[in-house]
Amino acid sequence: MLRGKQIICLSSIDWDFNWQGHQEIMTRFAAAGNAVLFVENTGIRMPRWPDLPRLRQRMQDWHKGPGGIRQVQDNLHVCAPLICPFPYSRMMQRLNRWLFLGHIRRWVRRTEFGPPLLWTFLPTRFTLEVIDALKPASVVYYCIADFLELGPPRRVQRFESALLRRANVVFAQGEVLADRCRRAHTGEIPIVPFGVNIERFQRGLYDPMPAELQRIPGLRIGYVGALQRHVDKALLKGLAARNPDWHIVIVGPQFADGPHHWQAANIHLLGAKSHEEIPRYIAGFDVCLIPYVLSHYTQTVYPTKLTEYLSLGKPVVSTPLPEVLAFNQRHEAVVAIGDTPEAFEAQIRQALCEDGDRRQQRMAIARQYDWATRLQAMSRVIEDRIEKAGSA
């Protein structure tokens, strides 16, 4: 594990958003004795009306610490950057540099670790300008999404290519993303899907079930994650309509439609929960779902919830996402695949009838993705590249 480093992380999500690999990685680096600054999302696209609550929250978070920097645990600070959310305007980017970099430089000087290591999830012009300004000792790019689908494709591609040429280390969430990164990065690109906190999740097997889940009778068919445009809402509604004895339980924030679009008595929107609570909900599901639509964006998505489900031994039914199919190739088709609504429903029925013999197999597979093991391997790659760069 990396130790004694100063790490600045340019995140693609905010600290208080759904707990994902971003927070897990930086929390573990801080616990290992590194000084970590987690910079909340500086944007990949132009803002939209639904972003207003997040921008308002950013303004509130700015006042929680000097320069928008607040401490959330030992060795870990979070920066709510007060920037203009127009990532492709040269004038606004110059203003953003003035607003942002002075505070970051002061944080760097206070920690007295020397040149920082810059870890970025974002392939943007702003990332490149931060590299130019801070002159970090090393640059790590963790490519976890197809940002060409989220921002202006030509601009994102140009900035990502420039970042790949400058990065010392590149990790990719899956094979498709790694192939694209290889067009501009000449070094080896390890494929590292997001992991799972095995210790935390397997405690869910012994913790009490949440009261609101206990009140849902019968068979619980669960999905954990944000209810956004990548979720096949028609598929979920169809399952509920055809199977009134099934209860479709959705645990996560809602970014698509309103509650009035989900009025079936056997669909339960339980809303966002803290990451510590999630294992208790998954433990109460009979079958877990990955009900994503197939699109250009989901061609590269590796669902973090996959190993979270498996860590509790739960049967998983998914649409045929490429990364899930690749996971199945590595792990003896442990995930049931439904490539049509009818097949998806049939796989759920089959999972409900299984005798439970595969539970231990699923848990054993999930242990291979434990974050502790994953970050040790990533740290070895980073330290090896730093050592080679120093001796060159």
Side-chain angles (χ1 to χ4, degrees):
M1 180 75 81
L2 288 177
R3 285 182 171 83
K5 305 290 184 186
Q6 183 182 60
I7 302 172
I8 297 175
C9 170
L10 300 183
S11 175
S12 56
I13 62 173
D14 289 348
W15 178 258
D16 292 323
F17 187 68
N18 283 352
W19 188 276
Q20 298 180 35
H22 310 62
Q23 298 99 322
E24 188 77 39
I25 292 168
M26 295 303 145
T27 296
R28 288 175 179 266
F29 278 152
N34 300 283
V36 176
L37 180 65
F38 183 101
V39 180
E40 294 183 314
N41 189 11
T42 51
I44 194 78
R45 56 169 174 79
M46 299 290 285
R48 303 168 184 159
W49 285 112
D51 295 317
L52 286 178
R54 185 174 66 85
L55 296 175
R56 185 162 52 246
Q57 184 63 47
R58 175 68 58 81
M59 293 293 294
Q60 294 171 2
D61 289 342
W62 168 260
H63 294 288
K64 293 180 181 178
I69 297 175
R70 64 191 189 276
Q71 184 168 358
V72 295
Q73 69 175 59
D74 288 347
N75 297 329
L76 178 57
H77 290 77
V78 173
C79 174
L82 188 62
I83 63 173
C84 298
F86 298 93
Y88 302 104
S89 163
R90 288 183 180 275
M91 182 178 70
M92 290 301 178
Q93 289 305 302
R94 284 197 293 270
L95 177 60
N96 286 339
R97 285 199 303 274
W98 179 77
L99 290 169
F100 175 79
L101 288 173
H103 300 294
I104 302 305
R105 286 193 179 102
R106 282 191 287 275
W107 181 85
V108 169
R109 287 196 296 270
R110 283 200 305 272
T111 54
E112 298 180 347
F113 273 69
L117 182 153
L118 183 78
W119 180 300
T120 182
F121 292 94
L122 282 174
T124 59
R125 182 204 299 272
F126 188 70
T127 297
L128 297 172
E129 293 185 346
V130 171
I131 293 171
D132 287 337
L134 296 183
K135 296 179 173 50
S138 297
V139 175
V140 177
Y141 175 38
Y142 194 176
C143 182
I144 62 167
D146 185 359
F147 287 108
L148 273 67
E149 294 293 325
L150 300 177
R154 284 186 294 180
R155 288 177 171 176
V156 172
Q157 186 174 33
R158 184 168 74 251
F159 297 135
E160 184 174 58
S161 294
L163 174 60
L164 287 164
R165 288 191 294 270
R166 300 185 65 174
N168 304 89
V169 180
V170 176
F171 300 112
Q173 179 93 289
E175 187 60 49
V176 175
L177 292 174
D179 281 343
R180 197 180 72 209
C181 290
R182 291 185 186 109
R183 299 172 192 169
H185 185 77
T186 56
E188 182 184 356
I189 300 177
I191 296 173
V192 187
F194 272 2
V196 59
N197 186 326
I198 290 292
E199 181 181 359
R200 176 184 295 162
F201 269 79
Q202 292 191 344
R203 281 202 303 266
L205 295 170
Y206 311 102
D207 290 340
M209 185 185 301
E212 62 180 342
L213 199 57
Q214 292 184 34
R215 290 192 289 269
I216 299 173
L219 300 171
R220 305 184 192 98
I221 315 300
Y223 165 72
V224 170
L227 194 56
Q228 53 189 347
R229 61 190 177 96
H230 309 304
V231 174
D232 192 335
K233 296 176 284 296
L235 175 62
L236 296 178
K237 292 175 184 177
L239 291 173
R242 291 188 298 273
N243 301 277
D245 58 329
W246 293 0
H247 290 267
I248 310 300
V249 182
I250 301 170
V251 177
Q254 187 168 339
F255 298 122
D257 302 333
H260 61 282
H261 288 283
W262 300 84
Q263 291 182 343
N266 59 336
I267 295 181
H268 308 269
L269 305 181
L270 303 189
K273 308 299 176 186
S274 71
H275 193 61
E276 289 74 18
E277 294 177 283
I278 293 296
R280 299 168 57 212
Y281 284 86
I282 295 176
F285 296 161
D286 296 288
V287 178
C288 298
L289 303 183
I290 302 176
Y292 286 4
V293 298
L294 299 182
S295 66
H296 287 299
Y297 179 73
T298 59
Q299 288 292 304
T300 61
V301 165
Y302 175 86
T304 305
K305 60 188 64 64
L306 171 54
T307 44
E308 294 176 348
Y309 292 158
L310 295 176
S311 71
L312 290 160
K314 296 297 177 178
V316 181
V317 179
S318 176
T319 51
L321 301 175
E323 289 298 334
V324 176
L325 297 177
F327 187 93
N328 263 355
Q329 288 182 338
R330 297 192 297 270
H331 300 295
E332 302 178 3
V334 69
V335 180
I337 302 296
D339 55 3
T340 67
E342 295 77 17
F344 197 89
E345 185 172 335
Q347 294 285 14
I348 295 174
R349 291 186 185 282
Q350 184 172 338
L352 288 169
C353 296
E354 74 169 32
D355 57 14
D357 288 346
R358 302 193 70 185
R359 178 181 176 186
Q360 292 302 320
Q361 178 200 13
R362 296 183 187 114
M363 295 172 72
I365 290 170
R367 282 193 288 273
Q368 299 176 36
Y369 291 79
D370 185 25
W371 268 121
T373 304
R374 190 131 297 207
L375 281 179
Q376 286 174 1
M378 296 174 85
S379 293
R380 284 195 294 271
V381 172
I382 294 169
E383 289 169 335
D384 182 62
R385 303 284 175 85
I386 291 174
E387 182 178 340
K388 286 181 179 178
S391 60

